[in-house]
Amino acid sequence: MEYFLDMPSEFANIKNAKYVLLPVPYDGTSTFQKGADKGPQAIIDASDSIELYDIQTELEAYKSGIYTDTSDYSFGSPEIMVAEVKDRVNFFLQQNKAVGLIGGEHAISIGAIQAFAEKYPNLSVLQIDAHADLRDTYNGSIYNHACVMRRAQEVAKVVQVGIRNVCMEEKQNIIPENIFYAHEICGKTKWMKKAIEQLTENVYLTIDLDGFDPSIVPATGTPLPGGLLWYETLEFLELLFKSKKVVGFDVVELCPQKENKISDVLAAVLVYKVISFMER
């Protein structure tokens, strides 16, 4: 697996690292295209192509240390996976590390959100995604990838951005002032401030890569047309980090394609961009 970024090894040491990345190669509940379990390694591999200096923040955030965890997970069931992820996140939170996850399908976020909600009682979750993920159960499990935000609603306030696919069952769990549909925000910017105003001071950021338009991220398990583009997303994230304290994050649902690495690179840049925003 090695570690995230092509940086000197002393900055990847757990003892000196301010940031911890948890690769979680789980793809147990996805239902359309499989392959998200290969996402973490693809992101780590693609990160070797990234320069260590970030132009936008004018920082070399890696110098604060980024440790890539190499824990093994049993993944015996969705329930076991959620518990394992929660325990591992808690382990690093207790060491006062800033924790981010790289997936893996979206269900890995459940355990992380639960852990952060226990540490930060007034937590809110900002979801960038194509799907609402508000089913109470799906395929016999409450920990399915289609139920992630429903589980998040049980422990935190949830604000949803970029949504463009909802089933009738989910509508009863949607809070209108907390959801920003893709077709309503396309080509506009006023929504950004409104979305951020709905968040509490401490925010967990979960980014499903299918929240982006498939023209820039084709390699996801459930791509949908009409998503966010790169610079509008960075504009939104920059405003978020200036306005709120982002305490943790994940980037999930990369489903790598052998012939096309652009999605892998975008995901890796996005992870480092989030860390750079946190560092600034």
Side-chain angles (χ1 to χ4, degrees):
M1 178 173 285
E2 299 182 355
Y3 53 80
F4 185 74
L5 294 179
D6 182 19
M7 59 184 174
S9 59
E10 61 263 31
F11 296 107
N13 188 295
I14 181 60
K15 183 178 179 180
N16 301 321
K18 177 179 178 180
Y19 300 93
V20 171
L21 284 180
L22 303 185
V24 187
Y26 179 74
D27 193 21
T29 76
S30 60
T31 50
F32 184 51
Q33 296 185 86
K34 291 290 187 179
D37 56 319
K38 306 297 192 300
Q41 188 62 58
I43 291 172
I44 290 168
D45 291 346
S47 73
D48 285 351
S49 69
I50 301 172
E51 297 291 357
L52 299 176
Y53 171 72
D54 179 72
I55 298 172
Q56 192 171 358
T57 59
E58 299 183 312
L59 292 175
E60 291 181 301
Y62 80 93
K63 289 184 177 179
S64 289
I66 303 172
Y67 172 70
T68 305
D69 185 47
T70 56
S71 295
D72 289 324
Y73 300 88
S74 66
F75 296 152
S77 68
E79 292 77 13
I80 291 173
M81 179 275 297
V82 168
E84 288 180 328
V85 170
K86 182 180 178 181
D87 286 346
R88 199 62 184 159
V89 172
N90 271 328
F91 175 77
F92 289 111
L93 288 180
Q94 290 167 5
Q95 299 179 48
N96 294 315
K97 302 294 186 181
V99 179
L101 285 73
I102 49 178
E105 58 152 272
H106 209 165
I108 73 167
S109 306
I110 298 173
I113 291 169
Q114 291 174 346
F116 274 93
E118 290 178 2
K119 183 176 176 67
Y120 299 95
N122 191 31
L123 185 75
S124 56
V125 177
L126 174 61
Q127 171 202 16
I128 295 177
D129 203 325
H131 308 85
D133 291 344
L134 287 173
R135 286 177 167 90
D136 196 52
T137 64
Y138 193 63
N139 286 349
S141 175
I142 64 171
Y143 296 125
N144 190 280
H145 71 104
C147 309
V148 177
M149 290 303 113
R150 184 68 183 132
R151 300 287 78 79
Q153 284 181 334
E154 295 171 345
V155 296
K157 182 177 184 179
V158 173
V159 176
Q160 304 176 286
V161 168
I163 309 301
R164 51 196 188 276
N165 211 33
V166 175
C167 74
M168 285 299 295
E169 176 189 344
E170 293 172 299
K171 287 188 70 175
Q172 65 183 348
N173 298 321
I174 287 174
I175 301 171
E177 63 269 26
N178 292 346
I179 190 165
F180 295 80
Y181 293 107
H183 72 279
E184 294 177 342
I185 65 177
C186 178
K188 303 173 184 176
T189 58
K190 289 184 178 179
W191 66 270
M192 297 183 184
K193 183 178 179 182
K194 291 180 180 178
I196 291 169
E197 286 174 347
Q198 294 299 110
L199 296 165
T200 60
E201 183 59 30
N202 293 317
V203 177
Y204 182 90
L205 172 65
T206 178
I207 303 176
D208 185 327
L209 290 167
D210 66 31
F212 288 98
D213 191 85
S215 64
I216 64 170
V217 186
T220 68
T222 48
L224 279 172
L228 297 173
L229 297 176
W230 179 247
Y231 283 110
E232 67 178 329
T233 303
L234 290 190
E235 181 181 354
F236 178 50
L237 292 179
E238 186 165 27
L239 183 60
L240 168 70
F241 279 86
K242 287 180 178 178
S243 306
K244 303 292 181 179
K245 180 180 180 182
V246 177
V247 295
F249 72 94
D250 63 61
V251 174
V252 298
E253 298 277 355
L254 176 67
C255 193
Q257 300 173 345
K258 289 183 180 180
E259 302 81 12
N260 186 350
K261 301 300 182 184
I262 183 60
S263 300
D264 307 7
V265 173
L266 184 146
V269 172
L270 183 62
V271 170
Y272 194 42
K273 185 71 71 172
V274 169
I275 291 173
S276 298
F277 283 143
M278 292 180 82
E279 182 67 10
R280 184 175 66 176

